[in-house]
């Protein structure tokens, strides 16, 4: 679940000066001593893209309108969000593996319960219904604000994403379901030599040993990249006064 907000400075120290997907690919090729035709495999923490597609509907009005449509319609706009970024990665010669969260980890039940208690969905639904029953008393901005808070991941949305990915087999080389959280699954994929990098906002990925973690990516191909090598050879030694951290 990552480093807490008051410790985000620590993850900033791990950033590389590679600021584009092109530079990241060349860095991976150099590290692996591969030829220039090599297409690195990058694992995408699907929960990150899913949350961003749902929580930032201002970037795509179709997400908001499809999610709350009456009668219900397929929320294909979230799958479109995924595919636009997958096609971007393909243009920069990355192959993509989508990694999905699994079950709640039993050791984190307390943390999950705290998160769940912070959002009262039933109360929000009642507020939204009151607005619909008395539309003259509420502005459109108030309605939209409640609707956005109610936009949580659903099985039908995941189904649309998976179907879109399967339809474009040349763009997506794998779909992986994690037993629990995505981070440990991605680490396992790296240890098996299946992936070279990952996309996520979860700072645990770097601490767990994922070599290259893209924490931000724009549709222009600009990225922020955290480096495990920089963490172990520069950041930790400088912080704790040792020659090099143990890998």
């Amino acid at each position: 679940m990552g480093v807490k907000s008051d410790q985000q400075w620590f993850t900033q120290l791990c950033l590389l000066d590679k600021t584009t997907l092109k530079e990241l690919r060349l860095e991976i090729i150099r590290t692996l001593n591969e030829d220039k035709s090599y297409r690195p495999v990058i694992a995408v923490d699907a929960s990150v893209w899913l949350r961003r597609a749902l929580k930032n509907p201002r970037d795509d009005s179709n997400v908001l309108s499809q999610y709350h449509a009456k009668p219900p319609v397929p929320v294909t706009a979230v799958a479109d969000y995924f595919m636009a970024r997958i096609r971007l990665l393909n243009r920069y010669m990355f192959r993509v593996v989508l990694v999905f969260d699994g079950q709640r980890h039993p050791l984190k039940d307390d943390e999950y319960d705290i998160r769940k208690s912070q959002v009262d969905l039933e109360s929000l639904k009642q507020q939204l219904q009151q607005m619909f029953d008395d539309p003259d008393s509420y502005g459109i901005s108030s309605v939209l604000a409640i609707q956005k808070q109610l936009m949580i991941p659903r099985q039908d949305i995941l189904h649309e994403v998976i179907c879109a990915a399967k339809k474009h087999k040349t763009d997506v080389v794998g779909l992986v379901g994690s037993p629990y959280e995505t981070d440990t699954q991605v680490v396992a994929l790296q240890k098996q030599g299946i992936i070279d990098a990952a996309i996520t906002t979860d700072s645990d990925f770097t601490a767990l040993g994922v070599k290259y973690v893209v924490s931000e990516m724009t549709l222009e191909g600009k990225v922020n990249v955290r480096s495990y090598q920089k963490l172990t050879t520069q950041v930790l030694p400088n912080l704790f006064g040792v020659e090099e951290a143990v890998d």
Side-chain angles (χ1 to χ4, degrees):
M1 295 185 183
V3 177
K4 303 308 179 188
S5 58
D6 60 345
Q7 299 170 323
Q8 288 298 318
W9 62 271
F10 182 79
T11 64
Q12 297 300 311
L13 296 176
C14 303
L15 291 177
L16 286 179
D17 58 1
K18 311 302 179 186
T19 58
T20 68
L21 286 170
K22 180 179 179 180
E23 290 175 333
L24 173 59
R25 176 173 169 269
L26 293 176
E27 168 73 8
I28 293 172
I29 288 173
R30 182 191 63 78
T31 302
L32 297 177
N33 196 28
E34 293 282 355
D35 62 53
K36 291 186 178 181
S37 64
Y38 182 70
R39 298 184 63 195
V41 179
I42 192 162
V44 175
D45 181 350
S47 66
V48 171
W49 282 3
L50 181 60
R51 288 195 303 271
R52 288 192 169 181
L54 290 174
K55 296 301 181 183
N56 294 283
R58 62 181 180 277
D59 298 329
D60 185 350
S61 60
N62 289 332
V63 175
L64 183 63
S65 60
Q66 290 177 358
Y67 191 98
H68 291 287
K70 299 290 184 183
V73 300
V75 186
T76 57
V78 172
D80 293 340
Y81 181 99
F82 271 71
M83 294 311 302
R85 284 147 185 81
I86 289 169
R87 285 191 290 269
L88 171 70
L89 290 164
N90 290 163
R91 285 202 300 273
Y92 284 94
M93 297 186 69
F94 283 88
R95 294 172 291 168
V96 178
V97 173
L98 294 180
V99 185
F100 297 86
D101 277 329
Q103 301 178 61
R104 287 174 36 150
H105 199 293
L107 295 177
K108 293 188 175 182
D109 278 345
D110 290 344
E111 188 167 350
Y112 290 127
D113 290 340
I114 291 172
R115 287 186 173 191
K116 187 176 180 180
S117 67
Q118 292 172 344
V119 180
D120 188 346
L121 292 179
E122 288 305 316
S123 176
L124 290 172
K125 289 177 182 178
Q126 292 175 10
Q127 290 180 51
L128 186 61
Q129 188 58 52
Q130 289 175 0
M131 292 176 175
F132 288 151
D133 292 340
D134 186 15
D136 294 335
S137 300
Y138 300 94
I140 185 64
S141 60
S142 299
V143 175
L144 292 175
I146 297 296
Q147 287 185 326
K148 289 175 183 178
Q149 291 182 67
L150 284 168
M151 292 174 71
I152 60 175
R154 298 192 319 229
Q155 289 297 323
D156 61 299
I157 297 174
L158 283 173
H159 176 74
E160 293 292 337
V161 170
I162 291 169
C163 286
K166 287 182 176 180
K167 185 177 179 180
H168 297 81
K169 292 181 179 178
T170 58
D171 300 331
V172 183
V173 297
L175 299 168
V176 178
S178 308
Y180 295 107
E181 293 185 358
T182 305
D183 50 9
T184 50
Q185 181 63 63
V186 170
V187 172
L189 291 173
Q190 179 178 268
K191 287 183 176 179
Q192 295 171 56
I194 296 173
I195 67 154
D196 303 300
I199 295 178
T200 186
T201 55
D202 190 340
S203 54
D204 286 350
F205 280 55
T206 303
L208 289 170
V210 178
K211 294 177 181 177
Y212 299 99
V213 176
V214 176
S215 56
E216 295 291 340
M217 182 180 79
T218 71
L219 290 177
E220 291 74 39
K222 294 181 179 181
V223 293
N224 286 342
V225 184
R226 295 196 299 265
S227 165
Y228 179 70
Q229 183 182 31
K230 187 173 182 179
L231 171 68
T232 56
T233 63
Q234 297 180 41
V235 177
L236 293 179
N238 288 339
L239 286 175
F240 298 105
V242 295
E243 290 186 3
E244 185 170 328
V246 177
D247 191 340

